[in-house]
Amino acid sequence: MDLILWRHAEAAEAEPGQPDMQRALTGKGQKQARRMAEWLESQLPESCKVLVSPALRTLQTVEPLGRKFKVQAEIGPGADPRELLRTANWPNAREAVLIVGHQPTLGQVAALLMTGAPAYWEIKKAAAWWFVQREPGDPESLYLKAVMGPDLIVK
């Protein structure tokens, strides 16, 4: 199974009284989202399932990808890393799964996959980490296929 973790792009700070879930992308964040969406679209299998946090900033991040997606409250801000993996049906899903979510959860998921413990690893804004596990019951078949950030994409 392929699991791609995509952190939302740069978002504006919350205005006084504004709910965190309503923070929108900045101009820089919109550019980051477009660049990463172009790269992901060139790499993702056609059958990839896309799951997105209900936060505005994640919805705006995934929009340039131009694919159907499902909003999943279970991967919103403060999500539990193990719950995120269950939501993705890791490692048993038949298709690749792209998760568009938040820190620190995505970093905790990356650490959990690579080390077995949910440590606080940082995934930069708008970056994607691509994991592959060839055999669902065999953690030895897990590898990190790619780490890509919008600043690494050459146009």
Side-chain angles (χ1 to χ4, degrees), residues 38-125:
E38 287 176 20
W39 181 81
L40 284 165
E41 184 55 36
S42 73
Q43 304 297 317
L44 292 173
E46 192 63 38
S47 63
C48 184
K49 185 176 185 178
V50 182
L51 304 176
V52 182
S53 158
L56 177 60
R57 58 195 178 274
T58 55
L59 297 170
Q60 290 177 327
T61 296
V62 78
E63 189 176 284
L65 189 60
R67 291 191 181 207
K68 289 182 182 179
F69 60 87
K70 184 174 181 182
V71 175
Q72 294 282 151
E74 300 86 354
I75 61 175
D80 177 79
R82 287 183 174 85
E83 181 61 28
L84 185 143
L85 289 172
R86 277 190 292 280
T87 300
N89 194 21
W90 174 265
N92 300 309
R94 294 185 186 270
E95 67 281 331
V97 176
L98 169 65
I99 301 275
V100 185
H102 308 270
Q103 276 297 95
T105 305
L106 294 181
Q108 292 171 325
V109 169
L112 183 59
L113 292 174
M114 296 301 291
T115 70
Y120 287 90
W121 289 7
E122 183 169 347
I123 294 180
K124 299 286 188 186
K125 290 180 178 140

Side-chain angles (χ1 to χ4, degrees), residues 118-142:
Y120 287 90
W121 289 7
E122 183 169 347
I123 294 180
K124 299 286 188 186
K125 290 180 178 140
W129 288 33
W130 191 317
F131 295 90
V132 177
Q133 187 164 333
R134 290 183 296 250
E135 300 296 327
D138 180 12
E140 297 290 319
S141 71
L142 172 71

Side-chain angles (χ1 to χ4, degrees), residues 31-32 34-39 150-155:
K31 182 178 177 182
Q32 290 172 331
R34 282 192 305 273
R35 292 182 88 172
M36 282 304 300
E38 287 176 20
W39 181 81
D151 55 328
L152 298 174
I153 299 169
V154 179
K155 289 210 136 210

